[in-house]
Amino acid sequence: MEAFLVSAGVVALGEIGDKTQLLALVLAARFRKPLPIIAGILVATLANHALAGIMGSMFHAFLPPEVLRWLVALLFFAVALWALHPDTLEESPLPTSRWGVLGITIVAFFLAEMGDKTQIATIVLAARFESLVAVVLGTTVGMLLANVPVVLVGKAASAKIPFKAIRIAAALLFAALGAFTLWTNDLPGA
């Protein structure tokens, strides 16, 4: 349960102001069909984070515990610094396709999440915790917690969200996780 809750919280906070959240806003404003957008976010996130989680589990399985502990801590610190940088979404028209809003959302979200801080966080969390399923489900729930409200309320809410304060809180959380990892030597098998 700890892996699920930590993963959900870390990704929900880290996703605020992220480019995929901005993408959710653009999709909501353009298509005004929240259900296929939310379904697309769910499918794309499950697929992307499952791949990231598998990679993190491989790190956990093959790296010596001491190396893994330092790697996890350093990656948490790197994501903390990354969280301080505001993301932007390049203005490019979203194509229409025969796949409809669902297909566009799945493809756009999957690609936007590649190399994103929440994908890196998923790799790190899967390396830290033994339960791949709990991490992937947690990071997916975190992604939905951050993006579903944006899809539902769209542009009206974006002006009222204190993105800078949330980025700072996310950075502090990631840094705290890095410090906790080093301080407690709290990796399974370490």
Side-chain angles (χ1 to χ4, degrees):
M1 189 57 128
E2 178 188 9
F4 174 83
L5 293 173
V6 169
S7 297
V10 163
V11 168
L13 195 55
E15 179 66 8
I16 303 295
D18 191 71
K19 70 181 173 204
T20 46
Q21 190 178 50
L22 298 174
L23 177 60
L25 181 63
V26 168
L27 290 166
R30 168 127 187 237
F31 295 113
R32 301 182 200 282
K33 294 184 178 181
L35 293 180
I37 294 169
I38 293 167
I41 291 169
L42 172 65
V43 170
T45 302
L46 278 171
N48 192 291
H49 288 196
L51 292 173
I54 290 167
M55 181 181 280
S57 290
M58 289 171 46
F59 289 151
H60 181 82
F62 295 113
L63 291 176
E66 189 61 23
V67 171
L68 182 63
R69 181 170 72 98
W70 281 95
L71 180 63
V72 166
L74 289 173
L75 286 172
F76 273 134
F77 291 132
V79 174
L81 291 173
W82 192 356
L84 293 172
H85 184 274
D87 278 339
T88 59
L89 188 64
E90 293 84 25
E91 288 296 322
S92 61
L94 290 171
T96 56
S97 84
R98 59 187 168 102
W99 294 348
V101 175
L102 176 66
I104 290 169
T105 302
I106 290 170
V107 171
F109 246 80
F110 185 86
L111 293 175
E113 189 64 10
M114 296 301 287
D116 197 52
K117 67 180 163 265
T118 50
Q119 185 189 43
I120 303 300
T122 302
I123 293 169
V124 174
L125 290 161
R128 185 182 186 285
F129 293 107
E130 289 182 355
S131 178
L132 173 63
V133 172
V135 168
V136 171
L137 290 178
T139 59
T140 300
V141 166
M143 188 72 102
L144 292 172
L145 286 171
N147 287 303
V148 168
V150 169
V151 171
L152 295 176
V153 271
K155 287 186 176 181
S158 68
K160 298 178 187 220
I161 297 172
F163 288 114
K164 184 176 181 179
I166 292 171
R167 278 195 315 273
I168 291 169
L172 291 172
L173 176 63
F174 284 118
L177 286 169
F180 181 77
T181 299
L182 288 177
W183 182 61
T184 64
N185 196 23
D186 186 32
L187 284 173

